[in-house]
Amino acid sequence: MAAFDVALEPYAWHVKHFWLWQPTKFAVNWHGASPLNFIGWGCAALLILMFITPSLIRKQPGNPSAADLSPVALWLGAITLFAVNSAQAGEWAAVIADILIAGVAALFSWRGVKW
């Protein structure tokens, strides 16, 4: 979630103007977003995963089901949308971050299918 938010912030703030970040006391920010924003999204995702993961674990023995890559494709499509629109707006740091995030996600997804 934090990685997705890193990709979303430049698109939502600079390109589409969905929201406006007010200045904070932190000198460091990512396109207006405070580091606490990303920490909050990461903590929220971890909390949700703590409760949902037990229900996602396969409990029946047998043949494993085929890998479903549609969620990854949707996620990578959204990151690509953010990257293309950020490139059109001239936000090159955001484009590089989007490409890195998409590459790491694709790599881990491919490794998960192969295991």
Side-chain angles (χ1 to χ4, degrees):
M1 287 302 296
F4 190 83
D5 193 37
V6 166
L8 173 67
E9 286 300 332
Y11 171 76
W13 192 49
H14 289 292
V15 178
K16 292 294 185 178
H17 308 290
F18 287 146
W19 51 76
L20 175 65
W21 285 102
Q22 298 297 325
T24 64
K25 295 180 182 179
F26 292 106
V28 178
N29 64 32
W30 174 251
H31 295 275
S34 166
L36 291 177
N37 175 55
F38 305 112
I39 293 169
W41 277 112
C43 290
L46 286 174
L47 183 65
I48 291 168
L49 285 173
M50 282 175 34
F51 291 103
I52 197 72
T53 300
S55 67
L56 296 175
I57 295 173
R58 183 180 174 99
K59 295 167 187 70
Q60 299 293 329
N63 294 335
S65 58
D68 181 15
L69 293 177
S70 56
V72 175
L74 183 64
W75 200 85
L76 291 175
I79 299 293
T80 303
L81 172 78
F82 301 155
V84 168
N85 284 299
S86 294
Q88 289 176 345
E91 298 293 332
W92 297 108
V95 173
I96 292 169
D98 293 348
I99 291 169
L100 290 173
I101 290 168
V104 169
L107 176 70
F108 280 124
S109 299
W110 183 254
R111 290 293 304 221
V113 168
K114 288 296 188 184
W115 285 343

